Amino acid sequence: MPLATSELWDDLLACLDLRTPPGSTGYEGLNQRLGYHRLFGGQLLAQSLRAAELACPDKPVKSLHALFPRAGRPDEPVRYEVERHHEGGSFATLGVVARQAKGVVATVSVSLHAPEEGPVHQTAAAAPVLPGPEYGVDLVLLPWETRTTTDLDSAAAGPAEFELWMRTPPTGGELAPALTAYATDLTLIGTALRPLAGISQLDAGTAFTSAVTSHTVWFHRPFRADDWLLLRQHSPILAHGRCFGRGDVFAWDGTLVASYAQEALLRMAPEAAG
C-alpha cells in the first residue's frame, strides 16, 4: 500500500539522518519506501550533500556535481565514503562515493565555501505571483505542498518550460539544500518531453526509457524550504538519445537562491520515434 503524504515526509527525513556504522569512517543512509525497482536519484543527491555537510560542518555547500553510473537497489542501504581533497580557510572540496554491494551508484564532487561579505547583484527575472491553492498538484515523490499552472502529464505539445512552486512542512534551515537538491531531480525529463505531441512523462517505460546520468546544483544564498520556493526550468535540447535541462530556484520574494542542470538518457521506443 502506498505511503500517505505525512508518512512519505517522515520517511524522507529518516533517509537524511545519516549514521556512521560501527567500525566505519563513512556514513550510511536508509532508502525511501517508494515501491520502485530502483532508487530515486534525488535521494542520492540529498544524502550525498548531507554526507558532505557532516564531514565538513563549518562550511555551507556551494555546489555539487553528481554522476550516476548505475541504478541503485532500494532493498539495500547506501554507504557514503567521503574523501577530503582540499580544505582551506574559505573553501573545501570533497568527493563522495555512494556504494552498494554491486558497486558504485553515484559519485559526487562537492564544493563548500565559508560565508563572505561582498557586492550583491541579480539579473534573473523575478518570480511571478504565487498561484492560488486551486493549482495544487500531487507529485507523489515530493511529500509537501506543490502548485503549478502547467500539466506535465498532458500529451499536448507545449514549450519545454515548467514552473513549480513548493513549500515543505516546518523544518530547520539546515535541511533546505538537501531537500531542494532532492526536488530538482524530479521534473526536468518531463519538461524536455513537452514539445513532443502525444507523449508525456506518464509514458515512461512504454513510449520511452529514461535515466538521469548527471546532475549539478549550485547554491547562491542561504534560504529555507518551508517557505515558498519557485523552481523555474527549461530544456533547450533533446538529441542523440539524451536530454538536457536547467533551472533556477527563487525564494517567494524573487531572490535567486540556487540553480541546477541535468543530463539524462531519453531513448524513444521505435513506434514513438517513428
Side-chain angles (χ1 to χ4, degrees):
M1 178 180 297
L3 298 180
T5 299
S6 61
E7 294 175 307
L8 286 169
W9 171 247
D10 292 340
D11 188 53
L12 177 55
L13 292 181
C15 292
L16 298 182
D17 185 18
L18 302 186
R19 306 296 175 90
T20 300
S24 172
T25 58
Y27 307 96
E28 186 173 279
L30 300 175
N31 296 325
Q32 294 175 279
R33 295 173 293 162
L34 300 175
Y36 295 165
H37 66 284
R38 64 184 182 186
L39 295 180
F40 174 46
Q43 175 197 310
L44 296 172
L45 287 171
Q47 288 181 325
S48 296
L49 189 150
R50 291 294 291 157
E53 290 176 330
L54 290 171
C56 192
D58 60 333
K59 295 179 178 68
V61 170
K62 176 178 71 69
S63 64
L64 70 158
H65 177 70
L67 299 175
F68 302 103
R70 58 168 57 85
R73 293 174 54 89
D75 58 352
E76 178 189 347
V78 181
R79 301 181 305 281
Y80 293 89
E81 303 165 357
V82 182
E83 181 179 357
R84 182 177 279 97
H85 299 307
H86 166 77
E87 183 174 6
S90 297
F91 289 91
T93 303
L94 309 179
V96 180
V97 177
R99 292 184 184 273
Q100 291 185 315
K102 64 179 181 179
V104 175
V105 296
T107 64
V108 186
S109 296
V110 184
S111 177
L112 304 94
H113 181 208
E116 294 187 22
E117 296 296 327
V120 177
H121 179 62
Q122 176 178 322
T123 59
V129 176
L130 172 69
E134 67 272 19
Y135 292 100
V137 292
D138 181 6
L139 295 182
V140 183
L141 286 179
L142 302 187
W144 50 70
E145 192 173 1
T146 52
R147 300 181 189 179
T148 181
T149 59
T150 301
D151 184 6
L152 281 189
D153 293 340
S154 171
E161 300 172 351
F162 184 62
E163 292 188 346
L164 176 72
W165 287 90
M166 72 175 212
R167 180 174 62 178
T168 72
T171 187
E174 72 278 1
L175 289 181
L179 293 169
T180 302
Y182 173 92
T184 62
D185 189 51
L186 184 59
T187 53
L188 279 167
I189 294 175
T191 301
L193 288 167
R194 290 202 68 213
L196 305 182
I199 298 176
S200 80
Q201 61 182 7
L202 293 178
D203 298 307
T206 54
F208 68 90
T209 300
S210 65
V212 175
T213 55
S214 64
H215 194 100
T216 300
V217 187
W218 298 266
F219 298 99
H220 310 308
R221 296 181 171 102
F223 65 98
R224 298 187 66 89
D226 55 3
D227 203 350
W228 285 106
L229 295 173
L230 169 66
L231 278 62
R232 173 188 287 155
Q233 60 194 35
H234 73 287
S235 174
I237 186 168
L238 190 167
H240 297 288
R242 302 189 306 272
C243 63
F244 173 76
R246 54 194 174 210
D248 291 316
V249 182
F250 296 87
W252 68 271
D253 62 356
T255 301
L256 179 64
V257 298
S259 299
Y260 55 100
Q262 180 186 92
E263 184 189 62
L265 165 75
L266 185 52
R267 186 176 291 150
M268 309 306 294
E271 58 273 18

